[in-house]
Amino acid sequence: MNKNITVIVGTKWGDEGKGKIASREAENAKLVIRATGGNNAGHTIIYKGTSLPLHLVPGGISNPNAICIIGPGVVLDLEVLLSEIELLKNTGIPNIDERLKISGRAHVIFPYHKELDILYENMKKHPVGTTKRGIGPSYADKNNRTGIRMYDLLLPTDKLKEKIEEAIKPHNQLFKANNMEYAIADAKSLAKEYHLLGKKLEKYITDISPIILDAIDNNEKIVVEGAQAFRLDLDHGDYPMVTSSNPVVSGTLCGAALPPQALNVVIGVDKAYNSRVGNGPFPTELPASIDENGNVIKDAVPLEGDIVRDLGHEYGTTTKRPRRCGWMDCPILHSAKYTSGIDYLCLNHLDTLGQIGLKLGYIKVCTSYKYKGKVINYYPDDINLSGEIPEPIYETLQGGWEIDSSCKNYSELPDLAKKFVEIVEKASGIPVKYLGTGPANDDLIVREDI
Ligand code: GDP
Ligand code: IMO
Ligand code: MG
């Protein structure tokens, strides 16, 4: 089998800059595929100077020759999808109707999924801090075999109504019990409304397997644009503070309907500092003036985490929530290397880390942890909410650096930035092939010798 698949995955808690590298890798690709999650993701790409926050359509849509697929592993909010298609058309990106394909097997997010997401979060003693986009409840219905797929929307309305009726029985009971009459779903009106939405999207809905077979047989490059990240993986992340899909490489191949034998390369994406949005462990987190609801405390004296957040513009692409910020964590990268088979790293925001160093006077890198009395170089899998969080062991660099996007060669980087990269490579065991120096596709140093 030809081996021409490039998979791009997040190595921490999301927002590492996957959209940018996916859009760049798509420049010579035939297919670009989103495989997991839904509009909990927010991938920023820059198209001819315009910043586009994409939630569902792969960033590879910026290549006018690439076919972009929303794979069977994705869950879809149709209103969001339609407005994204409109945004792309209005931005002048060509041939969207010919190039966008949606797997008929992708599942639909209904309004009741969003209500359930809020309800479940409110019921929890330790909420996950979900994006409240209905992601978890939609995947739960899929697992319960009551999910509605894109194909189902195209059935005659009475058949679709039957399926929705099955799906909403337990949900409506729950809404009633919680005095949420406004959330109670009506199968008849939903069937009518969603059949119409399905018809609007019909031209994109398809069986993606012949497209994939063709691309692999002709040795065309396929890019998988992973969403979310390693520590948010349902099986391998910080359970229960995770999302409801499998963003590690094996999960993305499954969600994209691709054979592992056709894999060529895996690019793990990280930021030179780290961030997390939502709840859960974050060993290298820096203190910040954020209240218990996750909002920035106005007029508070900025702490280290606030400085990093503001220099990195770390506010969610999807929810606008301020992101929690901290230092680079290498033990997580080391674990991600093995869980996802990462060949190379792309470290974005090297420019921002330099600014952070200049502002604070120092930069720290976590190279190992102290955990249960031992020094370890991987992320332990037995952490629970009330348990001990690994204590970072840091290497400290004094000062920072200035770089801008005109820097294209590794050799031109300031010595301190190179030292940072060397520490990350040694502690993670992964070569750093790409270094981000700004938000645009070509704000990147590529080390061709690696
Ligand atoms: P994704 O979810 O992994 O695709 O990442 P997001 O788009 O949510 O967040 C990454 C943010 O960092 C976006 O605003 C990007 O435009 C920006 N970005 C990506 N790489 C770089 C970089 O190397 N330097 C700077 N300054 N910004 C970057
Ligand atoms: P991209 O692809 C950052 C997080 C949420 C929450 C947890 C569960 O842009 O990197 P969910 O709504 O999925 O049930 O929320 O997962 N989360 C993300 N955080 N970037 C993402 O995607 C995320 N997708 C989900 O913040 O903590
Ligand atoms: Mg994002």
Side-chain angles (χ1 to χ4, degrees):
M1 192 177 290
N2 291 318
K3 296 186 190 303
N4 209 350
I5 298 174
T6 299
V7 177
I8 291 158
V9 285
T11 51
K12 295 285 166 61
W13 294 280
D15 305 325
E16 300 92 347
K18 299 175 292 293
K20 168 177 112 168
I21 183 88
S23 164
R24 189 179 187 279
E25 281 295 313
E27 284 167 11
N28 59 356
K30 179 73 178 179
L31 303 185
V32 185
I33 313 181
R34 261 287 303 270
T36 63
N39 59 316
N40 47 354
H43 294 183
T44 317
I45 63 158
I46 313 278
Y47 179 76
K48 295 188 176 166
T50 306
S51 177
L52 298 174
L54 298 179
H55 301 287
L56 292 167
V57 176
I61 200 80
S62 56
N63 165 13
N65 300 314
I67 293 181
C68 290
I69 296 178
I70 295 180
V74 174
V75 286
L76 286 169
D77 184 320
L78 304 187
E79 305 281 3
V80 174
L81 179 60
L82 283 164
S83 55
E84 201 157 294
I85 292 171
E86 189 149 322
L87 169 76
L88 292 167
K89 288 183 176 175
N90 291 341
T91 310
I93 298 186
N95 306 331
I96 305 286
D97 286 351
E98 292 74 36
R99 298 194 290 118
L100 179 63
K101 311 281 172 197
I102 301 171
S103 165
R105 290 174 162 259
H107 279 243
V108 178
I109 298 176
F110 282 86
Y112 50 84
H113 291 129
K114 289 183 248 182
E115 296 294 351
L116 288 169
D117 202 347
I118 296 167
L119 178 63
Y120 294 150
E121 282 283 272
N122 289 343
M123 282 174 157
K124 280 184 176 145
K125 188 170 170 204
H126 299 292
V128 178
T130 72
T131 57
K132 302 197 169 74
R133 299 300 192 259
I135 306 293
S138 173
Y139 278 119
D141 277 4
K142 174 178 174 175
N143 279 286
N144 200 27
R145 276 68 44 91
T146 53
I148 311 289
R149 304 174 309 161
M150 294 301 284
Y151 279 142
D152 299 324
L153 302 183
L154 304 175
L155 294 170
T157 342
D158 56 326
K159 291 274 180 305
L160 175 59
K161 179 174 152 266
E162 265 175 41
K163 284 184 180 270
I164 297 178
E165 258 162 6
E166 276 293 287
I168 61 180
K169 269 186 228 164
H171 306 327
N172 278 348
Q173 282 179 21
L174 197 64
F175 292 140
K176 254 185 226 146
N178 285 281
N179 302 318
M180 291 170 69
E181 271 69 24
Y182 59 88
I184 290 172
D186 171 52
K188 194 169 167 204
S189 60
L190 281 175
K192 211 168 135 203
E193 184 187 344
Y194 276 76
H195 180 69
L196 282 177
L197 287 168
K199 284 284 173 192
K200 272 197 193 169
L201 290 161
E202 190 169 10
K203 55 176 163 295
Y204 308 111
I205 301 172
T206 188
D207 175 356
I208 61 162
S209 46
I211 308 173
I212 287 175
L213 299 183
D214 211 49
I216 295 177
D217 280 348
N218 291 308
N219 200 20
E220 307 268 20
K221 180 174 173 185
I222 301 175
V223 174
V224 182
E225 179 174 329
Q228 291 81 50
F230 173 43
R231 297 308 315 151
L232 293 174
D233 186 281
L234 183 60
D235 288 290
H236 309 292
D238 305 327
Y239 192 89
M241 298 307 183
V242 293
T243 191
S244 304
S245 61
N246 289 108
V248 297
V249 168
S250 43
T252 63
L253 290 172
C254 177
L258 290 172
Q261 299 93 323
L263 187 54
N264 174 32
V265 67
V266 176
I267 303 173
V269 189
D270 202 355
K271 276 186 289 213
Y273 56 92
N274 288 163
S275 73
R276 177 169 200 160
V277 59
N279 301 326
F282 184 176
T284 61
E285 182 172 16
L286 288 165
S289 301
I290 294 186
D291 66 21
E292 67 274 15
N293 300 317
N295 300 316
V296 177
I297 301 168
K298 256 182 131 187
D299 302 326
V301 180
L303 304 174
E304 284 165 297
D306 300 304
I307 291 169
V308 175
R309 185 185 66 244
D310 286 341
L311 286 170
H313 308 290
E314 292 294 346
Y315 295 87
T317 317
T318 298
T319 57
K320 313 287 177 244
R321 287 181 289 180
R323 294 173 182 151
R324 300 156 63 193
C325 293
W327 296 118
M328 159 58 69
D329 185 318
C330 295
I332 295 183
L333 288 178
H334 194 206
S335 291
K337 171 179 171 175
Y338 293 99
T339 311
S340 272
I342 294 170
D343 295 299
Y344 306 117
L345 275 179
C346 169
L347 281 189
N348 284 319
H349 280 275
L350 195 65
D351 51 327
T352 312
L353 186 69
Q355 294 300 321
I356 294 166
L358 290 175
K359 178 97 183 170
L360 294 177
Y362 55 89
I363 286 168
K364 291 188 182 186
V365 191
C366 166
T367 51
S368 54
Y369 296 138
K370 208 183 274 172
Y371 184 64
K372 295 190 173 168
K374 279 201 221 150
V375 173
I376 56 171
N377 63 358
Y378 60 90
Y379 198 85
D381 84 348
D382 60 349
I383 293 173
N384 65 45
L385 287 179
S386 51
E388 181 187 341
I389 303 288
E391 184 191 330
I393 300 175
Y394 290 112
E395 272 197 42
T396 304
L397 301 173
Q398 297 302 328
W401 55 78
E402 289 277 1
I403 42 168
D404 63 31
S405 49
S406 62
C407 178
K408 293 291 174 212
N409 286 311
Y410 187 71
S411 59
E412 290 166 22
L413 280 178
D415 286 346
L416 199 63
K418 282 191 222 157
K419 174 87 185 143
F420 168 77
V421 175
E422 282 160 22
I423 295 172
V424 173
E425 286 186 319
K426 186 161 176 252
S428 68
I430 317 174
V432 177
K433 189 174 170 81
Y434 308 91
L435 292 149
T437 55
N441 279 12
D442 54 1
D443 294 343
L444 210 62
I445 295 171
V446 183
R447 297 168 75 189
E448 299 294 357
D449 55 321
I450 281 181

